[in-house]
Amino acid sequence: MDKILILDFGGQYTHLISRRIRELGVYTEILPGNIPFSEINLSSVKGIILSGGPSSVYEKNSPKCDKRFLESKIPILGICYGHQLLVYILGGKIEKGVAGEYGLTELEIIKNSPLFFKLSKKEIVWMNHQDVVKSLPKDFEIIAKTNYSEIAAYQNLKKKIFGVQFHPEVSHTKKGVEILKNFVFKICQAKKEWQTKKMVEIIKDEIKREIGNEKALLALSGGIDSFVAAILVNSVSKDNLLCIYIDTGLMREEDKKMIKKLSEKYKFKLKIINAQKEFFKNLKGVIHPEEKRKIIGKIFIKIFERIAKREKYNILIQGTIYSDRIESGQTKYSSKIKSHHNVGGLPKRSFLKIYEPLRNLYKDEVRRIAKDLKISKEIIKRHIFPGPGFAIRIIGEVTPKKVAIVRKATKIIEEELKKANYYYKVWMAFPVLLSIKSVGIQGDKRSYKYPIVLRIVESEDAMTANFTKIPYSLLEKISQRLTNEIKEINRVVYDITNKPPATMEWE
Ligand code: XMP
């Protein structure tokens, strides 16, 4: 199958380049920017994209790509840092800009290029850089400029090397998708071969290879990713698979019931482990979010290791998807935001081999596969719930009492959003329980109780998010129910922060 390689230099939008191209129906793979040329099988690579990144090319330790890629005759597109890196490697000049060019900018196209096919002479693009390209290597020509960047885009038609200083992958660049389309189809001549059916075939083949005759445990979390992983593995390796659901005491009310039902419907072997006591005991007195995640990750692996030793399993399968890996700093040059427990939170050493069949998929791709597998809409569109569960929605120490408050609040919030037809329109809606108390008046009496933070966010892929502007009347309804029905709560506040600068979860 034709594919586009993306060499990652740590840019915030590397994943977006990949998503946009997959949305066009072409498979992509993201690899570390400095991967040696010799490690890559180029047979189906139709094009290479060099991503953006936070470094400056002239810094001593800045990431560079293997020069041999540039001699491979495969079409190349450099974006932002990638645009500068190509010039730097090929003998042009990069300088620190005076101020920087950030946000929407007018781009003037000054020369015909297949990259800009069907674009107007002037287009709006999105910039985010300080360094600028000052002079081009031999045989390269300028194809576009802006007020700040004399060389905002260039090409070498013979070598099929192109560079753009702006970001075509972000939606603010109005014709960004057109530019990527031009690169992928017109220049690289890639075929549209990335469809759900193909994804499933590839994953199943890999599962056969990875598991073979070995016995594998699969960690079910209650979310769609681990269900899809379970169904796919079960369909090719039924006898070797045992799915485990660990009841941590930190999950939503209906999770356990739903998992049982699904295991019956899809006929996978399921074992439920009641481990509430172990989790609460180990979380006692723990306040720091990363510590909570690490502790939860450790108990998880301990339980899996226990079962594995006893029943002779040696592989642990998880439903980790691509965005989990990025946010846990698992890609080479990106920074660590949080240790998602199903990846970064796990201890480094275990005798279990970790296998993640969905590791290269985005959420919308997993959802498409789930739809094909006839998983019901309620489950596919159910809001994401973090692996560490309510532990990271309780600020401060996690106790069974506090979990009960948050669990009840979650139910109320979800019920009201469903009634108002909002539930399926948003990415997530949840309560966060704070550790402070405030004064209120209830039934003519002074009260001194916890506040709940109501967080409702919209997102395309979890990498960025906006708080949802829901009607005041609905906020009021939720607030009334939370304070009326949960006796420990006397105040509700709405979180009006986007991601960035905040994250969706509070911890
Ligand atoms: P943040 O808070 O990082 O969340 O903006 C992005 C998405 O990831 C979920 N999330 C987690 N999922 N383990 C998980 O399995 C975790 O530790 C974790 N932390 C955040 C979060 O619910 C949101 O959908």
Side-chain angles (χ1 to χ4, degrees), residues 296-325:
I296 293 171
K298 258 193 206 139
I299 307 177
F300 261 99
I301 202 83
K302 223 168 86 189
I303 295 176
F304 281 112
E305 286 186 340
R306 230 185 275 154
I307 304 170
K309 264 203 188 118
R310 204 173 54 218
E311 303 183 28
K312 303 209 170 10
Y313 283 83
N314 47 2
I315 301 176
L316 175 62
I317 303 173
Q318 302 196 104
T320 316
I321 62 169
Y322 190 63
S323 52
D324 300 336
R325 294 200 297 136

PDB file of all heavy atoms in Angstrom, residues 296-325:
ATOM      1  N   ILE A 296      -1.111   3.717  40.118  1.00  0.00           N
ATOM      2  CA  ILE A 296      -2.162   2.948  39.445  1.00  0.00           C
ATOM      3  C   ILE A 296      -1.544   2.041  38.378  1.00  0.00           C
ATOM      4  O   ILE A 296      -1.861   0.858  38.287  1.00  0.00           O
ATOM      5  CB  ILE A 296      -3.232   3.903  38.860  1.00  0.00           C
ATOM      6  CG1 ILE A 296      -3.958   4.590  40.019  1.00  0.00           C
ATOM      7  CG2 ILE A 296      -4.221   3.158  37.962  1.00  0.00           C
ATOM      8  CD1 ILE A 296      -4.883   5.703  39.626  1.00  0.00           C
ATOM      9  N   GLY A 297      -0.616   2.593  37.612  1.00  0.00           N
ATOM     10  CA  GLY A 297       0.066   1.805  36.575  1.00  0.00           C
ATOM     11  C   GLY A 297       0.776   0.599  37.177  1.00  0.00           C
ATOM     12  O   GLY A 297       0.725  -0.512  36.643  1.00  0.00           O
ATOM     13  N   LYS A 298       1.424   0.834  38.324  1.00  0.00           N
ATOM     14  CA  LYS A 298       2.177  -0.250  38.979  1.00  0.00           C
ATOM     15  C   LYS A 298       1.249  -1.364  39.436  1.00  0.00           C
ATOM     16  O   LYS A 298       1.545  -2.544  39.260  1.00  0.00           O
ATOM     17  CB  LYS A 298       2.931   0.309  40.197  1.00  0.00           C
ATOM     18  CG  LYS A 298       4.385   0.524  39.909  1.00  0.00           C
ATOM     19  CD  LYS A 298       5.149   0.769  41.184  1.00  0.00           C
ATOM     20  CE  LYS A 298       6.367   1.585  40.830  1.00  0.00           C
ATOM     21  NZ  LYS A 298       6.697   2.630  41.751  1.00  0.00           N
ATOM     22  N   ILE A 299       0.111  -0.977  40.049  1.00  0.00           N
ATOM     23  CA  ILE A 299      -0.807  -2.025  40.536  1.00  0.00           C
ATOM     24  C   ILE A 299      -1.365  -2.806  39.346  1.00  0.00           C
ATOM     25  O   ILE A 299      -1.474  -4.023  39.380  1.00  0.00           O
ATOM     26  CB  ILE A 299      -1.973  -1.446  41.372  1.00  0.00           C
ATOM     27  CG1 ILE A 299      -1.422  -0.558  42.482  1.00  0.00           C
ATOM     28  CG2 ILE A 299      -2.810  -2.578  41.985  1.00  0.00           C
ATOM     29  CD1 ILE A 299      -2.480   0.116  43.327  1.00  0.00           C
ATOM     30  N   PHE A 300      -1.696  -2.075  38.309  1.00  0.00           N
ATOM     31  CA  PHE A 300      -2.199  -2.740  37.099  1.00  0.00           C
ATOM     32  C   PHE A 300      -1.233  -3.825  36.649  1.00  0.00           C
ATOM     33  O   PHE A 300      -1.593  -4.974  36.490  1.00  0.00           O
ATOM     34  CB  PHE A 300      -2.362  -1.719  35.959  1.00  0.00           C
ATOM     35  CG  PHE A 300      -3.773  -1.233  35.793  1.00  0.00           C
ATOM     36  CD1 PHE A 300      -4.179  -0.023  36.324  1.00  0.00           C
ATOM     37  CD2 PHE A 300      -4.701  -1.983  35.089  1.00  0.00           C
ATOM     38  CE1 PHE A 300      -5.479   0.434  36.172  1.00  0.00           C
ATOM     39  CE2 PHE A 300      -6.006  -1.539  34.934  1.00  0.00           C
ATOM     40  CZ  PHE A 300      -6.398  -0.326  35.472  1.00  0.00           C
ATOM     41  N   ILE A 301       0.018  -3.432  36.474  1.00  0.00           N
ATOM     42  CA  ILE A 301       0.980  -4.385  35.921  1.00  0.00           C
ATOM     43  C   ILE A 301       1.210  -5.532  36.900  1.00  0.00           C
ATOM     44  O   ILE A 301       1.386  -6.680  36.497  1.00  0.00           O
ATOM     45  CB  ILE A 301       2.293  -3.687  35.477  1.00  0.00           C
ATOM     46  CG1 ILE A 301       3.044  -4.512  34.442  1.00  0.00           C
ATOM     47  CG2 ILE A 301       3.199  -3.345  36.608  1.00  0.00           C
ATOM     48  CD1 ILE A 301       2.561  -4.336  33.062  1.00  0.00           C
ATOM     49  N   LYS A 302       1.176  -5.206  38.195  1.00  0.00           N
ATOM     50  CA  LYS A 302       1.366  -6.257  39.205  1.00  0.00           C
ATOM     51  C   LYS A 302       0.272  -7.320  39.080  1.00  0.00           C
ATOM     52  O   LYS A 302       0.551  -8.520  39.094  1.00  0.00           O
ATOM     53  CB  LYS A 302       1.312  -5.624  40.610  1.00  0.00           C
ATOM     54  CG  LYS A 302       2.383  -6.148  41.543  1.00  0.00           C
ATOM     55  CD  LYS A 302       2.490  -5.334  42.795  1.00  0.00           C
ATOM     56  CE  LYS A 302       1.513  -5.799  43.862  1.00  0.00           C
ATOM     57  NZ  LYS A 302       1.437  -4.903  45.022  1.00  0.00           N
ATOM     58  N   ILE A 303      -0.948  -6.845  38.918  1.00  0.00           N
ATOM     59  CA  ILE A 303      -2.067  -7.798  38.811  1.00  0.00           C
ATOM     60  C   ILE A 303      -1.920  -8.629  37.534  1.00  0.00           C
ATOM     61  O   ILE A 303      -2.078  -9.841  37.546  1.00  0.00           O
ATOM     62  CB  ILE A 303      -3.418  -7.044  38.830  1.00  0.00           C
ATOM     63  CG1 ILE A 303      -3.610  -6.370  40.199  1.00  0.00           C
ATOM     64  CG2 ILE A 303      -4.586  -8.000  38.528  1.00  0.00           C
ATOM     65  CD1 ILE A 303      -4.843  -5.521  40.329  1.00  0.00           C
ATOM     66  N   PHE A 304      -1.574  -7.952  36.446  1.00  0.00           N
ATOM     67  CA  PHE A 304      -1.399  -8.703  35.185  1.00  0.00           C
ATOM     68  C   PHE A 304      -0.262  -9.710  35.313  1.00  0.00           C
ATOM     69  O   PHE A 304      -0.364 -10.836  34.840  1.00  0.00           O
ATOM     70  CB  PHE A 304      -1.132  -7.746  34.018  1.00  0.00           C
ATOM     71  CG  PHE A 304      -2.385  -7.101  33.522  1.00  0.00           C
ATOM     72  CD1 PHE A 304      -2.628  -5.751  33.677  1.00  0.00           C
ATOM     73  CD2 PHE A 304      -3.364  -7.866  32.899  1.00  0.00           C
ATOM     74  CE1 PHE A 304      -3.800  -5.172  33.238  1.00  0.00           C
ATOM     75  CE2 PHE A 304      -4.542  -7.295  32.451  1.00  0.00           C
ATOM     76  CZ  PHE A 304      -4.758  -5.942  32.627  1.00  0.00           C
ATOM     77  N   GLU A 305       0.815  -9.292  35.963  1.00  0.00           N
ATOM     78  CA  GLU A 305       1.955 -10.212  36.108  1.00  0.00           C
ATOM     79  C   GLU A 305       1.567 -11.421  36.956  1.00  0.00           C
ATOM     80  O   GLU A 305       1.976 -12.544  36.662  1.00  0.00           O
ATOM     81  CB  GLU A 305       3.155  -9.486  36.715  1.00  0.00           C
ATOM     82  CG  GLU A 305       3.810  -8.560  35.700  1.00  0.00           C
ATOM     83  CD  GLU A 305       5.089  -7.911  36.188  1.00  0.00           C
ATOM     84  OE1 GLU A 305       5.306  -7.851  37.420  1.00  0.00           O
ATOM     85  OE2 GLU A 305       5.874  -7.466  35.353  1.00  0.00           O
ATOM     86  N   ARG A 306       0.781 -11.144  37.988  1.00  0.00           N
ATOM     87  CA  ARG A 306       0.317 -12.236  38.848  1.00  0.00           C
ATOM     88  C   ARG A 306      -0.447 -13.277  38.022  1.00  0.00           C
ATOM     89  O   ARG A 306      -0.146 -14.466  38.058  1.00  0.00           O
ATOM     90  CB  ARG A 306      -0.628 -11.645  39.895  1.00  0.00           C
ATOM     91  CG  ARG A 306      -0.294 -12.065  41.315  1.00  0.00           C
ATOM     92  CD  ARG A 306      -1.355 -11.536  42.264  1.00  0.00           C
ATOM     93  NE  ARG A 306      -1.108 -10.161  42.695  1.00  0.00           N
ATOM     94  CZ  ARG A 306      -2.057  -9.304  43.103  1.00  0.00           C
ATOM     95  NH1 ARG A 306      -3.330  -9.650  43.093  1.00  0.00           N
ATOM     96  NH2 ARG A 306      -1.749  -8.112  43.519  1.00  0.00           N
ATOM     97  N   ILE A 307      -1.411 -12.793  37.251  1.00  0.00           N
ATOM     98  CA  ILE A 307      -2.219 -13.717  36.443  1.00  0.00           C
ATOM     99  C   ILE A 307      -1.346 -14.412  35.409  1.00  0.00           C
ATOM    100  O   ILE A 307      -1.441 -15.609  35.187  1.00  0.00           O
ATOM    101  CB  ILE A 307      -3.364 -12.967  35.730  1.00  0.00           C
ATOM    102  CG1 ILE A 307      -4.213 -12.219  36.745  1.00  0.00           C
ATOM    103  CG2 ILE A 307      -4.233 -13.912  34.898  1.00  0.00           C
ATOM    104  CD1 ILE A 307      -5.208 -11.271  36.136  1.00  0.00           C
ATOM    105  N   ALA A 308      -0.476 -13.627  34.780  1.00  0.00           N
ATOM    106  CA  ALA A 308       0.355 -14.164  33.709  1.00  0.00           C
ATOM    107  C   ALA A 308       1.247 -15.291  34.223  1.00  0.00           C
ATOM    108  O   ALA A 308       1.386 -16.335  33.593  1.00  0.00           O
ATOM    109  CB  ALA A 308       1.194 -13.059  33.095  1.00  0.00           C
ATOM    110  N   LYS A 309       1.860 -15.060  35.392  1.00  0.00           N
ATOM    111  CA  LYS A 309       2.753 -16.076  35.971  1.00  0.00           C
ATOM    112  C   LYS A 309       1.978 -17.343  36.260  1.00  0.00           C
ATOM    113  O   LYS A 309       2.405 -18.435  35.906  1.00  0.00           O
ATOM    114  CB  LYS A 309       3.361 -15.540  37.273  1.00  0.00           C
ATOM    115  CG  LYS A 309       4.712 -14.954  37.045  1.00  0.00           C
ATOM    116  CD  LYS A 309       5.549 -14.946  38.318  1.00  0.00           C
ATOM    117  CE  LYS A 309       6.811 -14.166  38.016  1.00  0.00           C
ATOM    118  NZ  LYS A 309       6.962 -12.974  38.825  1.00  0.00           N
ATOM    119  N   ARG A 310       0.820 -17.116  36.909  1.00  0.00           N
ATOM    120  CA  ARG A 310       0.019 -18.266  37.335  1.00  0.00           C
ATOM    121  C   ARG A 310      -0.470 -19.079  36.144  1.00  0.00           C
ATOM    122  O   ARG A 310      -0.438 -20.280  36.126  1.00  0.00           O
ATOM    123  CB  ARG A 310      -1.154 -17.745  38.139  1.00  0.00           C
ATOM    124  CG  ARG A 310      -1.739 -18.758  39.096  1.00  0.00           C
ATOM    125  CD  ARG A 310      -2.801 -18.149  39.988  1.00  0.00           C
ATOM    126  NE  ARG A 310      -3.833 -17.476  39.218  1.00  0.00           N
ATOM    127  CZ  ARG A 310      -4.421 -16.339  39.576  1.00  0.00           C
ATOM    128  NH1 ARG A 310      -4.051 -15.717  40.674  1.00  0.00           N
ATOM    129  NH2 ARG A 310      -5.357 -15.789  38.832  1.00  0.00           N
ATOM    130  N   GLU A 311      -0.914 -18.369  35.104  1.00  0.00           N
ATOM    131  CA  GLU A 311      -1.567 -19.079  34.000  1.00  0.00           C
ATOM    132  C   GLU A 311      -0.733 -19.116  32.715  1.00  0.00           C
ATOM    133  O   GLU A 311      -1.235 -19.412  31.651  1.00  0.00           O
ATOM    134  CB  GLU A 311      -2.955 -18.466  33.759  1.00  0.00           C
ATOM    135  CG  GLU A 311      -3.787 -18.517  35.045  1.00  0.00           C
ATOM    136  CD  GLU A 311      -5.197 -18.004  34.877  1.00  0.00           C
ATOM    137  OE1 GLU A 311      -5.724 -18.093  33.756  1.00  0.00           O
ATOM    138  OE2 GLU A 311      -5.754 -17.508  35.868  1.00  0.00           O
ATOM    139  N   LYS A 312       0.524 -18.719  32.864  1.00  0.00           N
ATOM    140  CA  LYS A 312       1.508 -18.820  31.777  1.00  0.00           C
ATOM    141  C   LYS A 312       1.148 -18.006  30.520  1.00  0.00           C
ATOM    142  O   LYS A 312       1.100 -18.534  29.415  1.00  0.00           O
ATOM    143  CB  LYS A 312       1.746 -20.293  31.404  1.00  0.00           C
ATOM    144  CG  LYS A 312       2.201 -21.137  32.586  1.00  0.00           C
ATOM    145  CD  LYS A 312       3.065 -22.276  32.131  1.00  0.00           C
ATOM    146  CE  LYS A 312       3.757 -23.016  33.245  1.00  0.00           C
ATOM    147  NZ  LYS A 312       3.393 -22.736  34.619  1.00  0.00           N
ATOM    148  N   TYR A 313       0.911 -16.740  30.740  1.00  0.00           N
ATOM    149  CA  TYR A 313       0.735 -15.807  29.617  1.00  0.00           C
ATOM    150  C   TYR A 313       2.006 -14.985  29.513  1.00  0.00           C
ATOM    151  O   TYR A 313       2.632 -14.687  30.527  1.00  0.00           O
ATOM    152  CB  TYR A 313      -0.452 -14.873  29.876  1.00  0.00           C
ATOM    153  CG  TYR A 313      -1.792 -15.526  29.663  1.00  0.00           C
ATOM    154  CD1 TYR A 313      -2.375 -16.302  30.666  1.00  0.00           C
ATOM    155  CD2 TYR A 313      -2.473 -15.385  28.463  1.00  0.00           C
ATOM    156  CE1 TYR A 313      -3.600 -16.917  30.476  1.00  0.00           C
ATOM    157  CE2 TYR A 313      -3.699 -15.994  28.255  1.00  0.00           C
ATOM    158  CZ  TYR A 313      -4.257 -16.763  29.266  1.00  0.00           C
ATOM    159  OH  TYR A 313      -5.465 -17.362  29.063  1.00  0.00           O
ATOM    160  N   ASN A 314       2.409 -14.592  28.316  1.00  0.00           N
ATOM    161  CA  ASN A 314       3.623 -13.762  28.245  1.00  0.00           C
ATOM    162  C   ASN A 314       3.474 -12.475  27.433  1.00  0.00           C
ATOM    163  O   ASN A 314       4.423 -11.722  27.278  1.00  0.00           O
ATOM    164  CB  ASN A 314       4.832 -14.570  27.753  1.00  0.00           C
ATOM    165  CG  ASN A 314       4.487 -15.382  26.533  1.00  0.00           C
ATOM    166  OD1 ASN A 314       3.360 -15.313  26.050  1.00  0.00           O
ATOM    167  ND2 ASN A 314       5.437 -16.133  26.025  1.00  0.00           N
ATOM    168  N   ILE A 315       2.261 -12.214  26.938  1.00  0.00           N
ATOM    169  CA  ILE A 315       2.061 -10.947  26.207  1.00  0.00           C
ATOM    170  C   ILE A 315       0.935 -10.174  26.883  1.00  0.00           C
ATOM    171  O   ILE A 315      -0.054 -10.767  27.322  1.00  0.00           O
ATOM    172  CB  ILE A 315       1.665 -11.212  24.733  1.00  0.00           C
ATOM    173  CG1 ILE A 315       2.759 -12.020  24.027  1.00  0.00           C
ATOM    174  CG2 ILE A 315       1.393  -9.918  23.986  1.00  0.00           C
ATOM    175  CD1 ILE A 315       2.424 -12.404  22.601  1.00  0.00           C
ATOM    176  N   LEU A 316       1.103  -8.856  26.967  1.00  0.00           N
ATOM    177  CA  LEU A 316       0.015  -8.012  27.467  1.00  0.00           C
ATOM    178  C   LEU A 316      -0.391  -7.050  26.351  1.00  0.00           C
ATOM    179  O   LEU A 316       0.429  -6.261  25.869  1.00  0.00           O
ATOM    180  CB  LEU A 316       0.463  -7.223  28.704  1.00  0.00           C
ATOM    181  CG  LEU A 316      -0.562  -6.212  29.233  1.00  0.00           C
ATOM    182  CD1 LEU A 316      -1.851  -6.906  29.673  1.00  0.00           C
ATOM    183  CD2 LEU A 316       0.012  -5.425  30.412  1.00  0.00           C
ATOM    184  N   ILE A 317      -1.675  -7.163  25.954  1.00  0.00           N
ATOM    185  CA  ILE A 317      -2.151  -6.309  24.859  1.00  0.00           C
ATOM    186  C   ILE A 317      -2.912  -5.118  25.438  1.00  0.00           C
ATOM    187  O   ILE A 317      -3.720  -5.285  26.356  1.00  0.00           O
ATOM    188  CB  ILE A 317      -3.091  -7.104  23.925  1.00  0.00           C
ATOM    189  CG1 ILE A 317      -2.348  -8.333  23.391  1.00  0.00           C
ATOM    190  CG2 ILE A 317      -3.590  -6.229  22.778  1.00  0.00           C
ATOM    191  CD1 ILE A 317      -3.236  -9.273  22.607  1.00  0.00           C
ATOM    192  N   GLN A 318      -2.640  -3.934  24.898  1.00  0.00           N
ATOM    193  CA  GLN A 318      -3.336  -2.739  25.369  1.00  0.00           C
ATOM    194  C   GLN A 318      -3.934  -1.978  24.196  1.00  0.00           C
ATOM    195  O   GLN A 318      -3.438  -2.073  23.075  1.00  0.00           O
ATOM    196  CB  GLN A 318      -2.361  -1.821  26.082  1.00  0.00           C
ATOM    197  CG  GLN A 318      -1.682  -2.459  27.249  1.00  0.00           C
ATOM    198  CD  GLN A 318      -1.043  -1.397  28.115  1.00  0.00           C
ATOM    199  OE1 GLN A 318      -1.549  -1.064  29.155  1.00  0.00           O
ATOM    200  NE2 GLN A 318       0.051  -0.856  27.645  1.00  0.00           N
ATOM    201  N   GLY A 319      -4.960  -1.193  24.479  1.00  0.00           N
ATOM    202  CA  GLY A 319      -5.644  -0.445  23.420  1.00  0.00           C
ATOM    203  C   GLY A 319      -5.058   0.934  23.171  1.00  0.00           C
ATOM    204  O   GLY A 319      -5.758   1.803  22.652  1.00  0.00           O
ATOM    205  N   THR A 320      -3.797   1.132  23.499  1.00  0.00           N
ATOM    206  CA  THR A 320      -3.160   2.434  23.298  1.00  0.00           C
ATOM    207  C   THR A 320      -3.302   2.918  21.857  1.00  0.00           C
ATOM    208  O   THR A 320      -3.051   2.164  20.918  1.00  0.00           O
ATOM    209  CB  THR A 320      -1.640   2.296  23.588  1.00  0.00           C
ATOM    210  OG1 THR A 320      -1.490   1.541  24.763  1.00  0.00           O
ATOM    211  CG2 THR A 320      -0.981   3.647  23.685  1.00  0.00           C
ATOM    212  N   ILE A 321      -3.681   4.181  21.695  1.00  0.00           N
ATOM    213  CA  ILE A 321      -3.732   4.724  20.328  1.00  0.00           C
ATOM    214  C   ILE A 321      -2.665   5.813  20.183  1.00  0.00           C
ATOM    215  O   ILE A 321      -1.962   6.134  21.133  1.00  0.00           O
ATOM    216  CB  ILE A 321      -5.132   5.242  19.932  1.00  0.00           C
ATOM    217  CG1 ILE A 321      -5.576   6.388  20.839  1.00  0.00           C
ATOM    218  CG2 ILE A 321      -6.143   4.116  19.957  1.00  0.00           C
ATOM    219  CD1 ILE A 321      -6.813   7.105  20.319  1.00  0.00           C
ATOM    220  N   TYR A 322      -2.607   6.387  19.007  1.00  0.00           N
ATOM    221  CA  TYR A 322      -1.491   7.279  18.694  1.00  0.00           C
ATOM    222  C   TYR A 322      -1.400   8.506  19.608  1.00  0.00           C
ATOM    223  O   TYR A 322      -0.334   8.868  20.079  1.00  0.00           O
ATOM    224  CB  TYR A 322      -1.580   7.688  17.222  1.00  0.00           C
ATOM    225  CG  TYR A 322      -0.339   8.402  16.799  1.00  0.00           C
ATOM    226  CD1 TYR A 322       0.874   7.745  16.814  1.00  0.00           C
ATOM    227  CD2 TYR A 322      -0.371   9.742  16.447  1.00  0.00           C
ATOM    228  CE1 TYR A 322       2.030   8.398  16.484  1.00  0.00           C
ATOM    229  CE2 TYR A 322       0.782  10.406  16.108  1.00  0.00           C
ATOM    230  CZ  TYR A 322       1.978   9.735  16.127  1.00  0.00           C
ATOM    231  OH  TYR A 322       3.116  10.389  15.813  1.00  0.00           O
ATOM    232  N   SER A 323      -2.575   9.151  19.884  1.00  0.00           N
ATOM    233  CA  SER A 323      -2.512  10.365  20.692  1.00  0.00           C
ATOM    234  C   SER A 323      -2.051  10.065  22.121  1.00  0.00           C
ATOM    235  O   SER A 323      -1.396  10.904  22.745  1.00  0.00           O
ATOM    236  CB  SER A 323      -3.852  11.092  20.695  1.00  0.00           C
ATOM    237  OG  SER A 323      -4.872  10.194  21.048  1.00  0.00           O
ATOM    238  N   ASP A 324      -2.351   8.877  22.647  1.00  0.00           N
ATOM    239  CA  ASP A 324      -1.852   8.517  23.982  1.00  0.00           C
ATOM    240  C   ASP A 324      -0.319   8.556  23.984  1.00  0.00           C
ATOM    241  O   ASP A 324       0.303   9.000  24.926  1.00  0.00           O
ATOM    242  CB  ASP A 324      -2.248   7.072  24.367  1.00  0.00           C
ATOM    243  CG  ASP A 324      -3.743   6.850  24.397  1.00  0.00           C
ATOM    244  OD1 ASP A 324      -4.471   7.832  24.584  1.00  0.00           O
ATOM    245  OD2 ASP A 324      -4.178   5.695  24.228  1.00  0.00           O
ATOM    246  N   ARG A 325       0.242   8.051  22.904  1.00  0.00           N
ATOM    247  CA  ARG A 325       1.706   7.963  22.854  1.00  0.00           C
ATOM    248  C   ARG A 325       2.342   9.336  22.743  1.00  0.00           C
ATOM    249  O   ARG A 325       3.362   9.614  23.348  1.00  0.00           O
ATOM    250  CB  ARG A 325       2.147   7.083  21.678  1.00  0.00           C
ATOM    251  CG  ARG A 325       1.729   5.634  21.882  1.00  0.00           C
ATOM    252  CD  ARG A 325       2.536   4.720  21.024  1.00  0.00           C
ATOM    253  NE  ARG A 325       2.338   4.954  19.611  1.00  0.00           N
ATOM    254  CZ  ARG A 325       3.307   4.999  18.727  1.00  0.00           C
ATOM    255  NH1 ARG A 325       4.546   4.849  19.096  1.00  0.00           N
ATOM    256  NH2 ARG A 325       3.038   5.185  17.451  1.00  0.00           N
TER     257      ARG A 325
END
